[in-house]
Amino acid sequence: MRILVNGEATEIQASNIAAVLDELLYEGEALATALNGQFVAREQRQETALQAGDQLEILAPMQGG
Amino acid sequence: MQLYGEEIGSRLLLGTAQYPSPQILAEAVEASGTEIITVSLRREGADGAGTGFWQLIKELGVKVLPNTAGCHTAKEAVTTAQMAREVFGSNWIKLEVIGHSDNLQPDVFGLVEAARILSDEGFQVFPYTTDDLVVGEKLLEAGCEVLMPWGAPIGSGQGLRNPDALRAMRAHFPNVPLIVDAGIGRPSDACMAMELGMDAVLLNTAVAKAGDPGWMGAAMAQAIDAGRQGFAAQMMERRDMAVPSTPILGMAVFD
């Protein structure tokens, strides 16, 4: 199915957030996720199912003021 | 200085953006003696850029204050704060809810709303706010224990546009840590903020965009220290007229 990952239309096989991170080769602990504007904690990623058209945000630390 | 129960030695909080290189950022952090640096969260590519930056930050060995920079609604800011807490493992959040994209002034209504939600969720909120006293009161009611009034628009380097308002904040909130956030351009601006009785200064561009960021970090630290000591030592009142410093008594007469 097709979802938006960080604003980009992306075709995925995975059906939950944890699996999407694996499928798209995201690694490391310093990642946070939100689905359709709602924060999804690390331990909820596995159980958070995805539907076509969902908006997934994957954020990581960056320089800031 | 106590911030949410933590004893902090340095009164300079430093941003981590816009440095010429990670190495120069590290030099500036060290030279400034800061104990708190601000960081942000942004979309991560599969290249792991953010993970690399986080590694660098951890090696600096200072406390991290994540921000919600760029958020324009309370909801965006709350979600960003929740994500930041998971990544950085801290309840501290520099709360920014931007109300206007030209001058980046805070949307104080969204700010108070987000501050209340986050405080209720156990966050320790550092709100980037205006110098308005009533907004300050609402933020304290919402659960904030620190206020961060602006000196001038973010990144403008204009210094303190309204020193009287900051003086009024100091008088009105004698026991609340006040941190001037945004607008500092020069060491003299930072010194003046401290002379007004502010507890600390948060700045970024003034150091990052200096010709020598490391040197400027050190200069800012000294200016903040001088201003703090000046405030503590209680400065003289201004006078309208000249008053001779050298006694008149005992002057010779030559005519």
Side-chain angles (χ1 to χ4, degrees):
Chain A
M1 69 182 145
R2 226 170 158 73
I3 65 169
L4 283 174
V5 178
N6 286 346
E8 300 251 349
T10 307
E11 189 66 35
I12 56 161
Q13 306 297 319
S15 58
N16 67 64
I17 293 178
V20 168
L21 293 178
D22 285 342
E23 184 179 338
L24 299 179
L25 306 177
Y26 279 92
E27 292 178 345
E29 289 295 292
L31 293 174
T33 52
L35 186 65
N36 301 324
Q38 298 288 333
F39 168 58
V40 179
R42 189 175 286 128
E43 55 273 17
Q44 296 167 341
R45 287 177 196 160
Q46 192 88 46
E47 67 204 45
T48 304
L50 293 165
Q51 296 180 340
D54 274 348
Q55 296 184 30
L56 178 64
E57 294 286 336
I58 305 169
L59 305 189
M62 213 199 66
Q63 295 84 346
Chain B
M1 170 176 66
Q2 291 250 336
L3 299 176
Y4 287 102
E6 297 226 22
E7 186 60 36
I8 305 294
S10 169
R11 293 175 182 273
L12 170 57
L13 288 74
L14 193 62
T16 57
Q18 306 180 76
Y19 291 82
S21 71
Q23 176 63 31
I24 292 174
L25 162 62
E27 284 170 19
V29 167
E30 178 155 354
S32 71
T34 185
E35 295 173 20
I36 301 171
I37 56 175
T38 56
V39 295
S40 194
L41 278 182
R42 284 293 180 270
R43 285 172 167 174
E44 175 76 331
D47 60 354
T51 304
F53 173 68
W54 182 219
Q55 197 55 41
L56 169 82
I57 291 301
K58 280 195 285 195
E59 286 166 10
L60 294 174
V62 292
K63 279 190 74 72
V64 166
L65 176 59
N67 69 26
T68 63
C71 292
H72 282 256
T73 65
K75 183 173 185 302
E76 281 176 358
V78 167
T79 301
T80 302
Q82 291 165 335
M83 296 172 87
R85 175 154 71 177
E86 183 177 80
V87 168
F88 297 108
S90 167
N91 285 323
W92 282 16
I93 190 77
K94 174 182 163 180
L95 183 60
E96 290 184 35
V97 182
I98 300 300
H100 200 286
S101 51
D102 282 345
N103 65 358
L104 302 179
Q105 79 175 71
D107 168 0
V108 295
F109 304 95
L111 182 68
V112 171
E113 181 188 345
R116 184 171 294 118
I117 295 168
L118 291 171
S119 297
D120 288 348
E121 292 185 11
F123 282 87
Q124 295 171 319
V125 178
F126 294 66
Y128 163 61
T129 182
T130 65
D131 47 32
D132 187 289
L133 296 181
V134 179
V135 173
E137 284 180 350
K138 301 285 182 196
L139 286 167
L140 297 182
E141 284 167 23
C144 299
E145 295 179 18
V146 174
L147 297 174
M148 301 210 297
W150 63 351
I154 295 173
S156 70
Q158 293 178 8
L160 308 183
R161 293 255 296 249
N162 195 350
D164 289 335
L166 295 175
R167 199 176 281 117
M169 283 192 89
R170 179 70 293 163
H172 197 69
F173 303 113
N175 301 315
V176 178
L178 298 178
I179 302 172
V180 169
D181 177 14
I184 299 292
R186 316 168 160 229
S188 54
D189 300 331
C191 187
M192 185 178 181
M194 299 307 293
E195 286 178 1
L196 291 173
M198 299 294 107
D199 292 278
V201 169
L202 196 168
L203 53 86
N204 184 348
T205 314
V207 167
K209 290 298 185 189
D212 186 329
W215 205 352
M216 187 58 77
M220 287 293 184
Q222 290 181 40
I224 287 166
D225 193 37
R228 178 66 191 176
Q229 292 193 47
F231 174 72
Q234 300 172 28
M235 289 158 289
M236 67 168 280
E237 292 299 317
R238 284 178 193 241
R239 296 157 167 171
D240 290 336
M241 302 294 286
V243 179
S245 337
T246 306
I248 305 291
L249 191 71
M251 281 284 293
V253 177
F254 294 118
D255 56 335

